[in-house]
Amino acid sequence: MASPAVTVRRHDSALGRWETVHRAAPAALRPHVLGYLGYREWLPQPFRRLEVPSGEVHVIVSFGPRVRAPAPVRSFVAAPHSEHTIVDFDAEQHGIEIRLTPIGAHLLLGIPMHELADRVTLLEDVLGREGDELPERLYEARTWPERFALLDGLLARRLAAARPPAPEVEHAWARLVASHGGTPVETIAGEVGWSRRHLLGRFREHAGLPPKVFARILRFQRAAALMADPGGPSLCEIALDCGYYDQAHLNRDFRAFAGRTPTELLAARLPDRGGYSGA
């Protein structure tokens, strides 16, 4: 399968040095696989990072020391979370992140996603021997393009063997993503011909969290992205554009999902897509 282009970003300042290598998934793996992020960090001291909820599942394959999230883990699956998490890192980190949709994670892992939601799960606990061996296989590939190609093949085989999700669930997820959480769940249930209760149960099986919670997360995610643009709209304009009643409503969701006001979250943003400081 044809490989998309690789994008490399580097940062060097008093905060530390880091390099990230981004590559989207090839067309054959979409829409379930969003892409890969290779990373290497050298920081002057151990670091705390704030991880906020998103509409993605992150599979971390680590070549370096454990992180504390809050229990010590090395390679793991970070399933959808409804609250923020503080992760403690050692001064050096090295590994690769696989970005999946929740439905893609359900297909690839073969586990009901509500069993993984709001948890961090060891990779070997969901993939068995394959998950135990994957870090060494990827590390020995040495270059990022070789590692990404190895993942392409592995994920393609697992997707080919997976049972496709119900089209109603795929439609519900696509509608939520396309509208940034703006389409009411009742509307989606009517579109697929299911009761609201039946949609909730099937959606949680494939995505982990109820559709209304995901709608709020997607709305928060869009607001945070708009806020990061220094020349972008005001907080009041962002609130209205993202479907909040007012700025106070936006503030409540930011406190619920990030533990911070919008202004505090913006101040915690690290340069060059380094995430958020949890200090």
Side-chain angles (χ1 to χ4, degrees):
M1 63 183 79
S3 296
V6 170
T7 302
V8 180
R9 292 186 176 89
R10 295 182 177 90
H11 177 86
D12 191 348
S13 74
L15 293 172
R17 291 187 298 122
W18 57 82
E19 176 184 87
T20 57
V21 184
H22 302 250
R23 207 210 73 185
L29 299 182
R30 297 177 207 154
H32 304 301
V33 182
L34 300 173
Y36 312 125
L37 170 65
Y39 60 89
R40 188 139 199 195
E41 299 177 336
W42 301 267
L43 306 174
Q45 59 190 5
F47 186 73
R48 305 192 88 197
R49 181 173 274 121
L50 169 69
E51 301 289 351
V52 298
S54 77
E56 300 180 8
V57 173
H58 301 278
V59 179
I60 303 298
V61 183
S62 176
F63 310 146
R66 289 179 171 85
V67 301
R68 291 159 293 284
V73 291
R74 182 170 284 122
S75 297
F76 58 92
V77 178
H81 277 64
S82 56
E83 297 180 349
H84 68 280
T85 305
I86 298 294
V87 182
D88 289 286
F89 295 82
D90 288 342
E92 183 174 345
Q93 290 293 321
H94 187 198
I96 187 167
E97 176 182 273
I98 307 166
R99 298 172 48 235
L100 308 171
T101 67
I103 291 176
H106 178 263
L107 291 170
L108 290 162
L109 303 177
I111 298 173
M113 290 304 293
H114 62 77
E115 295 183 8
L116 303 179
D118 282 315
R119 293 173 51 195
V120 169
T121 306
L122 296 178
L123 188 60
E124 57 265 35
D125 287 350
V126 292
L127 289 182
R129 182 177 177 181
E130 189 171 38
D132 192 42
E133 295 175 348
L134 187 59
E136 184 175 357
R137 290 181 63 198
L138 286 171
Y139 181 76
E140 289 181 346
R142 307 303 279 177
T143 71
W144 293 116
E146 288 176 315
R147 290 164 180 161
F148 298 155
L150 191 156
L151 287 172
D152 286 342
L154 184 154
L155 299 182
R157 289 191 296 274
R158 293 189 72 90
L159 283 176
R163 172 186 285 185
E168 293 87 351
V169 174
E170 285 200 297
H171 176 85
W173 175 250
R175 286 284 274 141
L176 285 177
V177 171
S179 65
H180 303 287
T183 304
V185 175
E186 293 78 5
T187 299
I188 296 173
E191 290 173 352
V192 301
W194 283 354
S195 70
R196 185 175 176 278
R197 182 175 180 179
H198 185 65
L199 175 62
L200 187 152
R202 295 298 302 278
F203 192 91
R204 285 187 68 241
E205 177 187 355
H206 287 80
L209 298 172
K212 277 200 171 182
V213 176
F214 260 120
R216 289 180 59 211
I217 290 171
L218 292 168
R219 183 171 56 190
F220 157 79
Q221 193 174 2
R222 180 166 182 251
L226 289 172
M227 192 178 65
D229 180 0
S234 67
L235 280 178
C236 183
E237 290 169 327
I238 290 173
L240 295 176
D241 187 42
C242 292
Y244 293 98
Y245 300 124
D246 51 27
Q247 191 173 329
H249 184 200
L250 178 145
N251 287 347
R252 286 196 295 274
D253 258 15
F254 268 69
R255 284 202 174 277
F257 289 134
R260 289 158 171 76
T261 66
T263 303
E264 290 168 342
L265 184 64
L266 184 60
R269 191 178 181 89
L270 298 168
D272 294 320
R273 300 191 181 185
Y276 297 103
S277 169

